[in-house]
Amino acid sequence: MRALPIAVVAAAAALTLTACDSGGDSSSSDSGKKASAASSAAASTACKIDQIGIQVGPANAAPAAGDTGNVPVTLTNKGTECTLQGFPAVTVQDGGKSTDVPEEKAANPPKLTLAKSGTASFTITYVRGTAGDGKSLDATALKISLPGAATAQSFKWSYGPVAGKTGASDPNASVSSFQPAGD
């Protein structure tokens, strides 16, 4: 029977604390506005793919099935200062089939600011598959987009089939986060 009075007191205390907030505290609404403005500012300074030059390779291509290859990708800012944070979206394609390359699990992406003509890079690491094998994607094209962007740029993939872990739609590949490049 003692539990009932304690529950009633706890409920009454919770209602009392809730009733104390009139909703007129300007500091909480101001901080919400500031967070929204900061989010908008970050989005407006994000690098746009149409202002970035992209160079794929030269690669350390995997020579045979089962070997690992690395494809470096260099980005050069052709516009005003902008920021990159996170991972690029990378898709490998074979005609009508396409599959996303997953992000490197252990990476902790830094936030990079690119001045005009500044450079950054990332690396696509893949295991070469066997052409015509049902577990491999006979990749012929590569699509790259920047974080939060809907548009992508396409490039030729000439590094052989990409092995799948369990099938062609589960590539044995990864993409690193953006890293500073150059001086």
Side-chain angles (χ1 to χ4, degrees), residues 110-132:
K111 181 176 183 178
L112 300 178
T113 301
L114 289 181
K116 183 173 181 147
S117 301
T119 59
S121 66
F122 65 90
T123 302
I124 303 164
T125 302
Y126 73 101
V127 174
R128 187 171 181 146
T130 303

Side-chain angles (χ1 to χ4, degrees), residues 13-29:
L15 289 173
T16 301
L17 289 174
T18 304
C20 289
D21 183 15
S22 65
D25 181 13
S26 64
S27 66
S28 66
S29 63

Side-chain angles (χ1 to χ4, degrees), residues 123-143:
T123 302
I124 303 164
T125 302
Y126 73 101
V127 174
R128 187 171 181 146
T130 303
D133 177 351
K135 282 185 70 173
S136 298
L137 180 70
D138 292 328
T140 57
L142 172 70
K143 279 193 167 187

